[in-house]
C-alpha cells in the first residue's frame, strides 16, 4: 500500500478551524465502468420489465459495456476531478468487483482501489467512499439480497474487509446510497433490479433490512482498529412530490404525490433517525411492518443529502412544474429552495451534513450554470444561518449511464458520448462550479464567514454572479434568480427570461 493518504483529522466541534469544507464531484463506479457480474449488469442486459414486448431495460442504443471506463482511466479522470478546483471525490466501492463469488476476493480489484486512492492523494483529493451504490454481486441478489435479514452478515463482512484494506486512508464512509430510491425503482416501479412492480411488502422488508444493515455495518467498522477515527454516515435521496394545484380535479395527483413522497422521499428514514423506530405503511391496509431498536436512535456520524428537485404532478398525472419554473431533462424542474429546506429538515438529526449529490440533466447545457449558481446559493444561505453543512459534491464528473434512462441524461460536468464523438470536454455551464470551487476557501470556518458576509450584502455571492452577468444571464424577479436570456418559461426543457415570484 502506498502511504500517500491524505491527513485524517477526526471531526470535532472544538476544532472547527481545522475542519475543511469539502468541494468536489461524485461518481459511482458501476455507472462509469460496469462490471462482470452484478445485479445491475444482469438487469441492464435483460428485457425486463416489459420483456414480452421486447422492451430493453436500458434506454437507447448503448449499454454499460460501452462506457468511459473509469476503472481503467482513473488517472485521467481523477485529474479531471482535481482540475475543477476540487478537494474531494465521492466514489463507490463495488462489491461485485471485490467479491465476484461468495468468499472469493479479487485482489486485483483491491489493488486497483489502492491505486485510485494513491491517485486521489496525489491530486490532493480527500476520498469519500460509499460502500453500496445500488450495485451488489449476483450471488447476493440470488440469495434474496436485502429482502432477507439473514443476508446482513455477508454485507457486514464485505464492509469490514473494505475497512481493513482502506480504513487508514479514508475518513468519510457511507454505508448506503439512497435506500429509498433503490426501493422505489426496484420494488415499486420495476425499472431497476430486482425489477418488481408494486411489491410494497417486499419493498418495506428491503428498506427495513437495509437500515438494520447500516447499524450492523456501522458498529462493525467502529469496533475495528482505527474505527474510532472513521466517520460513518448514510446518504439519502431528498425529494418531495406535490400536485400542481389544489382542488377536486387534482385529488388523485395529490394522493399519488403523498405516496410518492412517502416511498421515495425520506419520511420513513427521518422517523427512524429521530426515534430508532421503523414504520412501514401500505395504502388502505395501514401499518404493515414496525419495529423499534431497543438501543434507540441509530448510530450515524454524518448525513448525506442527495438533492435534485421536487416532483410536480399535473391533474392527469404527468410530471410537470409550477408556472414560471424551468424543467430539467429529467421529470422535475430546477427548484433551488428545496435544497435549503432539505438541509433545514435534516439538521434535526444533529450531525454534520454533506451535500453528497446535486446536479442537473441538461443535454443543451443551457441551464447548468443557473442551476449550479442557484443551488450553491441555497447551500450558502443555510451555512450562513449556522446549519452544519461541510461539503458540496456535484453529480457527476462525466456523462455516464443514468441507470434505466441510459446515456440520454447528461448530468456530467464533462461531456462524454458513447459513440466516441465527444471525450471528456468541460461543459460551459460547469465553469460556474469551477468558479465557486476556486473562490470558496477550504476551511469550514472561513466558508461560514464568507457565507455570512455574502448573505449580509444582498446580491453579493463570492464574485461569481458578476461573471454570469457578463455572460448574458440576467437577475430577475423578487427571488432574484439568475436566468439565461432566452426562450419561454416553464416549458419542459425550455429556459425563460422571466420574473419569478
Ligand atoms: C443517484 C445517482 C444518479 C443520480 C441522478 C441519484 O439518485 O445516486 O446514481 O445517477 O441520482 O439521477
Amino acid at each position: 500500500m502506498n502511504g500517500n493518504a491524505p491527513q485524517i483529522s477526526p471531526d470535532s466541534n472544538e476544532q472547527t478551524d481545522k475542519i475543511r469544507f469539502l468541494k468536489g464531484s461524485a461518481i459511482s463506479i458501476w455507472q462509469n465502468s460496469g462490471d462482470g457480474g452484478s445485479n445491475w449488469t444482469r438487469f441492464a442486459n435483460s428485457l425486463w420489465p416489459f420483456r414480452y414486448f421486447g422492451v430493453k431495460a436500458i434506454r437507447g442504443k448503448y449499454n454499460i459495456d460501452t462506457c468511459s471506463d473509469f476503472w481503467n482511466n482513473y488517472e485521467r479522470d481523477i485529474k479531471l476531478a482535481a482540475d475543477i478546483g476540487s478537494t474531494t471525490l465521492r466514489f463507490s466501492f463495488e462489491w461485485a468487483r471485490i467479491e465476484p463469488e461468495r468468499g472469493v476476493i479479487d485482489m486485483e480489484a483491491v489493488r486497483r482501489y489502492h491505486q485510485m486512492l494513491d491517485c486521489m492523494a496525489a491530486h490532493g483529493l480527500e476520498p469519500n467512499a460509499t460502500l453500496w451504490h445500488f450495485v451488489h454481486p449476483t450471488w447476493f441478489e440470488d440469495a434474496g439480497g436485502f429482502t432477507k435479514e439473514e443476508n446482513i452478515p455477508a454485507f457486514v463482512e464485505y464492509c469490514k474487509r473494505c475497512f481493513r484494506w482502506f480504513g487508514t486512508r479514508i475518513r468519510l464512509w457511507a454505508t448506503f446510497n439512497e435506500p429509498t430510491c433503490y426501493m422505489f425503482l426496484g420494488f415499486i416501479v420495476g425499472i431497476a433490479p430486482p425489477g418488481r412492480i408494486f411489491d410494497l411488502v417486499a419493498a418495506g422488508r428491503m428498506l427495513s433490512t437495509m437500515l438494520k444493515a447500516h447499524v450492523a455495518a456501522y458498529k462493525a467498522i467502529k469496533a475495528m482498529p482505527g474505527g474510532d477515527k472513521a466517520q460513518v454516515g448514510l446518504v439519502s435521496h431528498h425529494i418531495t412530490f406535490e400536485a400542481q394545484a389544489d382542488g377536486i380535479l387534482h385529488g388523485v395527483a395529490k394522493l399519488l404525490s403523498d405516496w410518492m413522497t412517502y416511498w421515495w422521499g425520506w419520511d420513513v428514514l427521518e422517523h427512524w433517525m429521530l426515534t430508532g423506530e421503523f414504520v412501514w405503511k401500505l395504502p388502505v391496509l395501514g401499518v404493515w411492518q414496525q419495529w423499534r431498536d431497543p438501543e434507540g436512535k441509530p448510530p450515524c456520524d454524518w448525513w448525506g443529502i442527495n438533492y435534485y428537485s421536487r416532483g410536480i404532478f399535473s391533474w392527469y398525472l404527468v410530471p410537470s412544474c409550477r408556472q414560471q419554473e424551468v424543467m430539467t431533462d429529467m421529470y422535475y424542474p430546477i427548484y433551488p429552495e428545496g435544497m435549503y429546506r432539505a438541509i433545514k429538515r435534516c439538521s434535526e438529526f444533529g450531525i454534520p451534513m454533506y451535500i453528497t449529490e446535486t446536479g442537473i440533466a441538461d443535454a443543451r447545457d443551457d441551464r447548468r450554470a443557473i442551476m449550479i449558481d442557484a443551488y450553491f446559493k441555497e447551500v450558502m444561505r443555510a451555512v450562513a444561518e449556522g446549519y452544519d453543512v461541510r461539503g458540496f459534491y456535484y453529480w457527476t464528473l462525466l456523462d455516464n449511464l443514468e441507470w434505466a434512462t441510459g446515456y440520454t441524461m447528461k448530468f456530467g460536468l464533462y461531456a462524454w458520448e458513447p459513440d466516441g464523438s465527444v471525450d471528456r470536454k468541460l461543459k460551459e455551464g460547469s465553469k460556474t462550479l469551477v468558479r465557486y470551487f476556486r473562490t470558496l476557501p477550504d476551511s469550514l470556518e472561513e466558508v461560514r464567514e464568507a457565507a455570512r458576509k455574502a448573505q449580509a450584502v444582498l446580491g453579493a455571492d463570492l464574485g461569481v454572479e458578476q461573471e454570469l452577468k457578463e455572460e448574458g444571464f440576467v437577475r430577475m424577479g423578487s427571488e432574484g434568480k439568475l436566468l439565461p436570456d432566452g426562450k419561454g418559461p416553464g416549458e419542459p426543457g425550455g429556459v425563460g427570461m422571466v420574473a419569478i415570484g
Side-chain angles (χ1 to χ4, degrees), residues 208 211-212 214-215 267-279 289-299 349:
S208 157
L211 299 185
K212 287 184 178 174
H214 162 82
V215 174
D267 292 6
V268 178
L269 263 64
E270 181 185 46
H271 183 71
W272 169 75
M273 278 293 288
L274 293 173
T275 62
E277 186 187 39
F278 175 84
V279 183
Q289 200 185 342
Q290 188 169 16
W291 49 259
R292 183 182 282 275
D293 192 328
E295 293 181 28
K297 289 188 198 180
F349 305 150

PDB file of all heavy atoms in Angstrom, residues 208 211-212 214-215 267-279 289-299 349:
ATOM      1  N   SER A 208     -36.336  -2.029   5.520  1.00  0.00           N
ATOM      2  CA  SER A 208     -36.097  -2.373   6.928  1.00  0.00           C
ATOM      3  C   SER A 208     -34.748  -3.093   7.085  1.00  0.00           C
ATOM      4  O   SER A 208     -33.934  -2.763   7.950  1.00  0.00           O
ATOM      5  CB  SER A 208     -37.253  -3.257   7.398  1.00  0.00           C
ATOM      6  OG  SER A 208     -36.887  -4.033   8.478  1.00  0.00           O
ATOM      7  N   LEU A 211     -31.736  -0.764   6.600  1.00  0.00           N
ATOM      8  CA  LEU A 211     -31.448   0.120   7.733  1.00  0.00           C
ATOM      9  C   LEU A 211     -30.793  -0.669   8.871  1.00  0.00           C
ATOM     10  O   LEU A 211     -29.863  -0.182   9.530  1.00  0.00           O
ATOM     11  CB  LEU A 211     -32.722   0.826   8.198  1.00  0.00           C
ATOM     12  CG  LEU A 211     -33.380   1.721   7.129  1.00  0.00           C
ATOM     13  CD1 LEU A 211     -34.571   2.472   7.696  1.00  0.00           C
ATOM     14  CD2 LEU A 211     -32.380   2.707   6.512  1.00  0.00           C
ATOM     15  N   LYS A 212     -31.252  -1.906   9.064  1.00  0.00           N
ATOM     16  CA  LYS A 212     -30.590  -2.751  10.072  1.00  0.00           C
ATOM     17  C   LYS A 212     -29.154  -3.047   9.655  1.00  0.00           C
ATOM     18  O   LYS A 212     -28.248  -3.112  10.490  1.00  0.00           O
ATOM     19  CB  LYS A 212     -31.361  -4.057  10.265  1.00  0.00           C
ATOM     20  CG  LYS A 212     -32.667  -3.862  11.016  1.00  0.00           C
ATOM     21  CD  LYS A 212     -33.364  -5.178  11.284  1.00  0.00           C
ATOM     22  CE  LYS A 212     -34.644  -4.919  12.089  1.00  0.00           C
ATOM     23  NZ  LYS A 212     -35.449  -6.121  12.278  1.00  0.00           N
ATOM     24  N   HIS A 214     -27.269  -1.077   7.949  1.00  0.00           N
ATOM     25  CA  HIS A 214     -26.473   0.130   8.224  1.00  0.00           C
ATOM     26  C   HIS A 214     -25.964   0.096   9.659  1.00  0.00           C
ATOM     27  O   HIS A 214     -24.769   0.315   9.914  1.00  0.00           O
ATOM     28  CB  HIS A 214     -27.310   1.406   8.002  1.00  0.00           C
ATOM     29  CG  HIS A 214     -26.704   2.604   8.671  1.00  0.00           C
ATOM     30  ND1 HIS A 214     -25.679   3.331   8.105  1.00  0.00           N
ATOM     31  CD2 HIS A 214     -26.932   3.169   9.903  1.00  0.00           C
ATOM     32  CE1 HIS A 214     -25.317   4.301   8.942  1.00  0.00           C
ATOM     33  NE2 HIS A 214     -26.062   4.220  10.040  1.00  0.00           N
ATOM     34  N   VAL A 215     -26.869  -0.192  10.583  1.00  0.00           N
ATOM     35  CA  VAL A 215     -26.486  -0.193  12.007  1.00  0.00           C
ATOM     36  C   VAL A 215     -25.420  -1.264  12.253  1.00  0.00           C
ATOM     37  O   VAL A 215     -24.406  -1.013  12.927  1.00  0.00           O
ATOM     38  CB  VAL A 215     -27.734  -0.427  12.910  1.00  0.00           C
ATOM     39  CG1 VAL A 215     -27.321  -0.569  14.368  1.00  0.00           C
ATOM     40  CG2 VAL A 215     -28.724   0.719  12.736  1.00  0.00           C
ATOM     41  N   ASP A 267     -39.324  10.427   4.599  1.00  0.00           N
ATOM     42  CA  ASP A 267     -40.185  10.391   5.784  1.00  0.00           C
ATOM     43  C   ASP A 267     -39.866   9.189   6.684  1.00  0.00           C
ATOM     44  O   ASP A 267     -39.753   9.325   7.903  1.00  0.00           O
ATOM     45  CB  ASP A 267     -41.659  10.323   5.374  1.00  0.00           C
ATOM     46  CG  ASP A 267     -42.138  11.607   4.709  1.00  0.00           C
ATOM     47  OD1 ASP A 267     -41.292  12.497   4.469  1.00  0.00           O
ATOM     48  OD2 ASP A 267     -43.341  11.718   4.424  1.00  0.00           O
ATOM     49  N   VAL A 268     -39.750   8.009   6.080  1.00  0.00           N
ATOM     50  CA  VAL A 268     -39.527   6.790   6.869  1.00  0.00           C
ATOM     51  C   VAL A 268     -38.149   6.844   7.530  1.00  0.00           C
ATOM     52  O   VAL A 268     -37.989   6.521   8.719  1.00  0.00           O
ATOM     53  CB  VAL A 268     -39.654   5.535   5.964  1.00  0.00           C
ATOM     54  CG1 VAL A 268     -39.380   4.266   6.754  1.00  0.00           C
ATOM     55  CG2 VAL A 268     -41.033   5.464   5.330  1.00  0.00           C
ATOM     56  N   LEU A 269     -37.170   7.293   6.761  1.00  0.00           N
ATOM     57  CA  LEU A 269     -35.803   7.379   7.305  1.00  0.00           C
ATOM     58  C   LEU A 269     -35.712   8.443   8.403  1.00  0.00           C
ATOM     59  O   LEU A 269     -35.010   8.268   9.401  1.00  0.00           O
ATOM     60  CB  LEU A 269     -34.805   7.714   6.189  1.00  0.00           C
ATOM     61  CG  LEU A 269     -34.075   6.516   5.590  1.00  0.00           C
ATOM     62  CD1 LEU A 269     -35.033   5.580   4.903  1.00  0.00           C
ATOM     63  CD2 LEU A 269     -32.999   6.970   4.612  1.00  0.00           C
ATOM     64  N   GLU A 270     -36.426   9.517   8.195  1.00  0.00           N
ATOM     65  CA  GLU A 270     -36.388  10.606   9.182  1.00  0.00           C
ATOM     66  C   GLU A 270     -36.927  10.122  10.533  1.00  0.00           C
ATOM     67  O   GLU A 270     -36.308  10.331  11.575  1.00  0.00           O
ATOM     68  CB  GLU A 270     -37.229  11.779   8.670  1.00  0.00           C
ATOM     69  CG  GLU A 270     -37.244  12.967   9.607  1.00  0.00           C
ATOM     70  CD  GLU A 270     -38.201  14.046   9.111  1.00  0.00           C
ATOM     71  OE1 GLU A 270     -39.339  13.713   8.717  1.00  0.00           O
ATOM     72  OE2 GLU A 270     -37.805  15.220   9.123  1.00  0.00           O
ATOM     73  N   HIS A 271     -38.050   9.421  10.473  1.00  0.00           N
ATOM     74  CA  HIS A 271     -38.650   8.912  11.715  1.00  0.00           C
ATOM     75  C   HIS A 271     -37.700   7.928  12.400  1.00  0.00           C
ATOM     76  O   HIS A 271     -37.501   7.973  13.619  1.00  0.00           O
ATOM     77  CB  HIS A 271     -39.988   8.247  11.399  1.00  0.00           C
ATOM     78  CG  HIS A 271     -40.704   7.753  12.614  1.00  0.00           C
ATOM     79  ND1 HIS A 271     -41.291   8.597  13.530  1.00  0.00           N
ATOM     80  CD2 HIS A 271     -40.895   6.488  13.091  1.00  0.00           C
ATOM     81  CE1 HIS A 271     -41.821   7.885  14.513  1.00  0.00           C
ATOM     82  NE2 HIS A 271     -41.590   6.596  14.270  1.00  0.00           N
ATOM     83  N   TRP A 272     -37.101   7.068  11.606  1.00  0.00           N
ATOM     84  CA  TRP A 272     -36.148   6.075  12.139  1.00  0.00           C
ATOM     85  C   TRP A 272     -34.926   6.774  12.747  1.00  0.00           C
ATOM     86  O   TRP A 272     -34.476   6.425  13.841  1.00  0.00           O
ATOM     87  CB  TRP A 272     -35.761   5.142  10.997  1.00  0.00           C
ATOM     88  CG  TRP A 272     -34.624   4.219  11.245  1.00  0.00           C
ATOM     89  CD1 TRP A 272     -34.635   3.089  12.018  1.00  0.00           C
ATOM     90  CD2 TRP A 272     -33.304   4.323  10.695  1.00  0.00           C
ATOM     91  NE1 TRP A 272     -33.400   2.479  11.977  1.00  0.00           N
ATOM     92  CE2 TRP A 272     -32.572   3.219  11.167  1.00  0.00           C
ATOM     93  CE3 TRP A 272     -32.685   5.226   9.835  1.00  0.00           C
ATOM     94  CZ2 TRP A 272     -31.238   3.001  10.826  1.00  0.00           C
ATOM     95  CZ3 TRP A 272     -31.364   5.002   9.486  1.00  0.00           C
ATOM     96  CH2 TRP A 272     -30.656   3.917   9.985  1.00  0.00           C
ATOM     97  N   MET A 273     -34.421   7.788  12.069  1.00  0.00           N
ATOM     98  CA  MET A 273     -33.248   8.515  12.579  1.00  0.00           C
ATOM     99  C   MET A 273     -33.559   9.222  13.897  1.00  0.00           C
ATOM    100  O   MET A 273     -32.727   9.301  14.786  1.00  0.00           O
ATOM    101  CB  MET A 273     -32.770   9.567  11.562  1.00  0.00           C
ATOM    102  CG  MET A 273     -31.891   9.046  10.463  1.00  0.00           C
ATOM    103  SD  MET A 273     -30.295   8.463  11.053  1.00  0.00           S
ATOM    104  CE  MET A 273     -29.464   9.997  11.483  1.00  0.00           C
ATOM    105  N   LEU A 274     -34.777   9.755  14.011  1.00  0.00           N
ATOM    106  CA  LEU A 274     -35.117  10.544  15.198  1.00  0.00           C
ATOM    107  C   LEU A 274     -35.559   9.691  16.379  1.00  0.00           C
ATOM    108  O   LEU A 274     -35.483  10.121  17.526  1.00  0.00           O
ATOM    109  CB  LEU A 274     -36.228  11.556  14.856  1.00  0.00           C
ATOM    110  CG  LEU A 274     -35.833  12.671  13.882  1.00  0.00           C
ATOM    111  CD1 LEU A 274     -37.046  13.495  13.484  1.00  0.00           C
ATOM    112  CD2 LEU A 274     -34.759  13.577  14.485  1.00  0.00           C
ATOM    113  N   THR A 275     -36.025   8.451  16.078  1.00  0.00           N
ATOM    114  CA  THR A 275     -36.593   7.647  17.179  1.00  0.00           C
ATOM    115  C   THR A 275     -36.018   6.237  17.299  1.00  0.00           C
ATOM    116  O   THR A 275     -36.177   5.593  18.330  1.00  0.00           O
ATOM    117  CB  THR A 275     -38.112   7.464  16.957  1.00  0.00           C
ATOM    118  OG1 THR A 275     -38.283   6.733  15.721  1.00  0.00           O
ATOM    119  CG2 THR A 275     -38.831   8.791  16.872  1.00  0.00           C
ATOM    120  N   GLY A 276     -35.434   5.721  16.231  1.00  0.00           N
ATOM    121  CA  GLY A 276     -34.994   4.320  16.231  1.00  0.00           C
ATOM    122  C   GLY A 276     -36.139   3.383  15.873  1.00  0.00           C
ATOM    123  O   GLY A 276     -35.995   2.161  15.908  1.00  0.00           O
ATOM    124  N   GLU A 277     -37.278   3.985  15.489  1.00  0.00           N
ATOM    125  CA  GLU A 277     -38.426   3.146  15.144  1.00  0.00           C
ATOM    126  C   GLU A 277     -38.628   3.112  13.636  1.00  0.00           C
ATOM    127  O   GLU A 277     -38.604   4.159  12.976  1.00  0.00           O
ATOM    128  CB  GLU A 277     -39.681   3.705  15.807  1.00  0.00           C
ATOM    129  CG  GLU A 277     -40.885   2.810  15.619  1.00  0.00           C
ATOM    130  CD  GLU A 277     -42.175   3.457  16.126  1.00  0.00           C
ATOM    131  OE1 GLU A 277     -42.358   4.678  15.933  1.00  0.00           O
ATOM    132  OE2 GLU A 277     -42.992   2.734  16.706  1.00  0.00           O
ATOM    133  N   PHE A 278     -38.850   1.904  13.111  1.00  0.00           N
ATOM    134  CA  PHE A 278     -39.134   1.752  11.685  1.00  0.00           C
ATOM    135  C   PHE A 278     -40.617   1.446  11.527  1.00  0.00           C
ATOM    136  O   PHE A 278     -41.133   0.522  12.158  1.00  0.00           O
ATOM    137  CB  PHE A 278     -38.292   0.605  11.094  1.00  0.00           C
ATOM    138  CG  PHE A 278     -38.606   0.316   9.657  1.00  0.00           C
ATOM    139  CD1 PHE A 278     -38.020   1.044   8.633  1.00  0.00           C
ATOM    140  CD2 PHE A 278     -39.510  -0.698   9.310  1.00  0.00           C
ATOM    141  CE1 PHE A 278     -38.321   0.785   7.296  1.00  0.00           C
ATOM    142  CE2 PHE A 278     -39.818  -0.962   7.986  1.00  0.00           C
ATOM    143  CZ  PHE A 278     -39.214  -0.220   6.976  1.00  0.00           C
ATOM    144  N   VAL A 279     -41.287   2.232  10.702  1.00  0.00           N
ATOM    145  CA  VAL A 279     -42.725   2.008  10.463  1.00  0.00           C
ATOM    146  C   VAL A 279     -42.952   1.984   8.956  1.00  0.00           C
ATOM    147  O   VAL A 279     -42.551   2.907   8.248  1.00  0.00           O
ATOM    148  CB  VAL A 279     -43.580   3.150  11.066  1.00  0.00           C
ATOM    149  CG1 VAL A 279     -45.070   2.853  10.871  1.00  0.00           C
ATOM    150  CG2 VAL A 279     -43.270   3.352  12.541  1.00  0.00           C
ATOM    151  N   GLN A 289     -45.500  -3.063   8.847  1.00  0.00           N
ATOM    152  CA  GLN A 289     -44.285  -3.555   9.499  1.00  0.00           C
ATOM    153  C   GLN A 289     -43.813  -2.473  10.465  1.00  0.00           C
ATOM    154  O   GLN A 289     -43.800  -1.287  10.122  1.00  0.00           O
ATOM    155  CB  GLN A 289     -43.209  -3.802   8.448  1.00  0.00           C
ATOM    156  CG  GLN A 289     -42.105  -4.724   8.907  1.00  0.00           C
ATOM    157  CD  GLN A 289     -41.000  -4.833   7.860  1.00  0.00           C
ATOM    158  OE1 GLN A 289     -41.193  -4.496   6.696  1.00  0.00           O
ATOM    159  NE2 GLN A 289     -39.842  -5.282   8.269  1.00  0.00           N
ATOM    160  N   GLN A 290     -43.390  -2.901  11.660  1.00  0.00           N
ATOM    161  CA  GLN A 290     -42.986  -1.918  12.658  1.00  0.00           C
ATOM    162  C   GLN A 290     -42.023  -2.570  13.632  1.00  0.00           C
ATOM    163  O   GLN A 290     -42.262  -3.699  14.077  1.00  0.00           O
ATOM    164  CB  GLN A 290     -44.243  -1.461  13.416  1.00  0.00           C
ATOM    165  CG  GLN A 290     -44.032  -0.303  14.354  1.00  0.00           C
ATOM    166  CD  GLN A 290     -45.364   0.241  14.851  1.00  0.00           C
ATOM    167  OE1 GLN A 290     -46.400  -0.427  14.733  1.00  0.00           O
ATOM    168  NE2 GLN A 290     -45.356   1.444  15.402  1.00  0.00           N
ATOM    169  N   TRP A 291     -40.948  -1.906  13.928  1.00  0.00           N
ATOM    170  CA  TRP A 291     -40.041  -2.366  14.990  1.00  0.00           C
ATOM    171  C   TRP A 291     -39.336  -1.165  15.587  1.00  0.00           C
ATOM    172  O   TRP A 291     -39.281  -0.097  14.987  1.00  0.00           O
ATOM    173  CB  TRP A 291     -39.037  -3.410  14.498  1.00  0.00           C
ATOM    174  CG  TRP A 291     -38.283  -3.091  13.220  1.00  0.00           C
ATOM    175  CD1 TRP A 291     -38.557  -3.582  11.980  1.00  0.00           C
ATOM    176  CD2 TRP A 291     -37.133  -2.228  13.051  1.00  0.00           C
ATOM    177  NE1 TRP A 291     -37.668  -3.085  11.049  1.00  0.00           N
ATOM    178  CE2 TRP A 291     -36.778  -2.261  11.682  1.00  0.00           C
ATOM    179  CE3 TRP A 291     -36.371  -1.442  13.910  1.00  0.00           C
ATOM    180  CZ2 TRP A 291     -35.701  -1.539  11.157  1.00  0.00           C
ATOM    181  CZ3 TRP A 291     -35.291  -0.712  13.394  1.00  0.00           C
ATOM    182  CH2 TRP A 291     -34.964  -0.770  12.029  1.00  0.00           C
ATOM    183  N   ARG A 292     -38.825  -1.364  16.762  1.00  0.00           N
ATOM    184  CA  ARG A 292     -38.081  -0.292  17.404  1.00  0.00           C
ATOM    185  C   ARG A 292     -36.769  -0.873  17.896  1.00  0.00           C
ATOM    186  O   ARG A 292     -36.745  -1.928  18.532  1.00  0.00           O
ATOM    187  CB  ARG A 292     -38.866   0.260  18.585  1.00  0.00           C
ATOM    188  CG  ARG A 292     -38.186   1.437  19.274  1.00  0.00           C
ATOM    189  CD  ARG A 292     -38.997   1.891  20.451  1.00  0.00           C
ATOM    190  NE  ARG A 292     -40.144   2.697  20.070  1.00  0.00           N
ATOM    191  CZ  ARG A 292     -40.105   4.018  19.854  1.00  0.00           C
ATOM    192  NH1 ARG A 292     -38.969   4.673  19.988  1.00  0.00           N
ATOM    193  NH2 ARG A 292     -41.181   4.681  19.524  1.00  0.00           N
ATOM    194  N   ASP A 293     -35.686  -0.212  17.563  1.00  0.00           N
ATOM    195  CA  ASP A 293     -34.382  -0.677  18.019  1.00  0.00           C
ATOM    196  C   ASP A 293     -34.280  -0.422  19.517  1.00  0.00           C
ATOM    197  O   ASP A 293     -34.420   0.722  19.955  1.00  0.00           O
ATOM    198  CB  ASP A 293     -33.283   0.091  17.264  1.00  0.00           C
ATOM    199  CG  ASP A 293     -31.913  -0.536  17.460  1.00  0.00           C
ATOM    200  OD1 ASP A 293     -31.686  -1.093  18.560  1.00  0.00           O
ATOM    201  OD2 ASP A 293     -31.089  -0.473  16.538  1.00  0.00           O
ATOM    202  N   PRO A 294     -34.087  -1.485  20.334  1.00  0.00           N
ATOM    203  CA  PRO A 294     -34.019  -1.278  21.786  1.00  0.00           C
ATOM    204  C   PRO A 294     -32.914  -0.306  22.181  1.00  0.00           C
ATOM    205  O   PRO A 294     -32.971   0.308  23.244  1.00  0.00           O
ATOM    206  CB  PRO A 294     -33.751  -2.676  22.353  1.00  0.00           C
ATOM    207  CG  PRO A 294     -33.453  -3.553  21.189  1.00  0.00           C
ATOM    208  CD  PRO A 294     -33.924  -2.874  19.938  1.00  0.00           C
ATOM    209  N   GLU A 295     -31.917  -0.137  21.289  1.00  0.00           N
ATOM    210  CA  GLU A 295     -30.832   0.797  21.614  1.00  0.00           C
ATOM    211  C   GLU A 295     -31.173   2.240  21.234  1.00  0.00           C
ATOM    212  O   GLU A 295     -30.347   3.141  21.377  1.00  0.00           O
ATOM    213  CB  GLU A 295     -29.542   0.358  20.930  1.00  0.00           C
ATOM    214  CG  GLU A 295     -29.041  -0.954  21.518  1.00  0.00           C
ATOM    215  CD  GLU A 295     -27.739  -1.411  20.889  1.00  0.00           C
ATOM    216  OE1 GLU A 295     -26.957  -0.551  20.431  1.00  0.00           O
ATOM    217  OE2 GLU A 295     -27.533  -2.627  20.830  1.00  0.00           O
ATOM    218  N   GLY A 296     -32.350   2.453  20.708  1.00  0.00           N
ATOM    219  CA  GLY A 296     -32.797   3.821  20.405  1.00  0.00           C
ATOM    220  C   GLY A 296     -32.360   4.293  19.038  1.00  0.00           C
ATOM    221  O   GLY A 296     -32.303   3.510  18.081  1.00  0.00           O
ATOM    222  N   LYS A 297     -32.025   5.583  18.956  1.00  0.00           N
ATOM    223  CA  LYS A 297     -31.677   6.182  17.662  1.00  0.00           C
ATOM    224  C   LYS A 297     -30.519   5.453  17.001  1.00  0.00           C
ATOM    225  O   LYS A 297     -29.575   5.072  17.684  1.00  0.00           O
ATOM    226  CB  LYS A 297     -31.244   7.627  17.879  1.00  0.00           C
ATOM    227  CG  LYS A 297     -32.323   8.579  18.243  1.00  0.00           C
ATOM    228  CD  LYS A 297     -31.696   9.948  18.208  1.00  0.00           C
ATOM    229  CE  LYS A 297     -32.522  10.959  18.947  1.00  0.00           C
ATOM    230  NZ  LYS A 297     -31.885  12.273  18.899  1.00  0.00           N
ATOM    231  N   PRO A 298     -30.565   5.310  15.682  1.00  0.00           N
ATOM    232  CA  PRO A 298     -29.466   4.600  15.002  1.00  0.00           C
ATOM    233  C   PRO A 298     -28.159   5.397  15.050  1.00  0.00           C
ATOM    234  O   PRO A 298     -28.185   6.626  15.035  1.00  0.00           O
ATOM    235  CB  PRO A 298     -29.960   4.486  13.568  1.00  0.00           C
ATOM    236  CG  PRO A 298     -30.994   5.529  13.417  1.00  0.00           C
ATOM    237  CD  PRO A 298     -31.611   5.742  14.761  1.00  0.00           C
ATOM    238  N   PRO A 299     -27.031   4.695  15.095  1.00  0.00           N
ATOM    239  CA  PRO A 299     -25.760   5.409  15.061  1.00  0.00           C
ATOM    240  C   PRO A 299     -25.464   5.917  13.653  1.00  0.00           C
ATOM    241  O   PRO A 299     -25.668   5.202  12.672  1.00  0.00           O
ATOM    242  CB  PRO A 299     -24.745   4.342  15.493  1.00  0.00           C
ATOM    243  CG  PRO A 299     -25.364   3.045  15.084  1.00  0.00           C
ATOM    244  CD  PRO A 299     -26.854   3.238  15.135  1.00  0.00           C
ATOM    245  N   PHE A 349     -31.264  15.976  12.789  1.00  0.00           N
ATOM    246  CA  PHE A 349     -30.517  14.798  13.231  1.00  0.00           C
ATOM    247  C   PHE A 349     -29.337  15.172  14.122  1.00  0.00           C
ATOM    248  O   PHE A 349     -28.749  14.320  14.793  1.00  0.00           O
ATOM    249  CB  PHE A 349     -30.012  13.980  12.031  1.00  0.00           C
ATOM    250  CG  PHE A 349     -31.096  13.563  11.066  1.00  0.00           C
ATOM    251  CD1 PHE A 349     -30.823  13.391   9.711  1.00  0.00           C
ATOM    252  CD2 PHE A 349     -32.397  13.338  11.507  1.00  0.00           C
ATOM    253  CE1 PHE A 349     -31.819  13.013   8.822  1.00  0.00           C
ATOM    254  CE2 PHE A 349     -33.409  12.963  10.626  1.00  0.00           C
ATOM    255  CZ  PHE A 349     -33.117  12.806   9.277  1.00  0.00           C
TER     256      PHE A 349
END
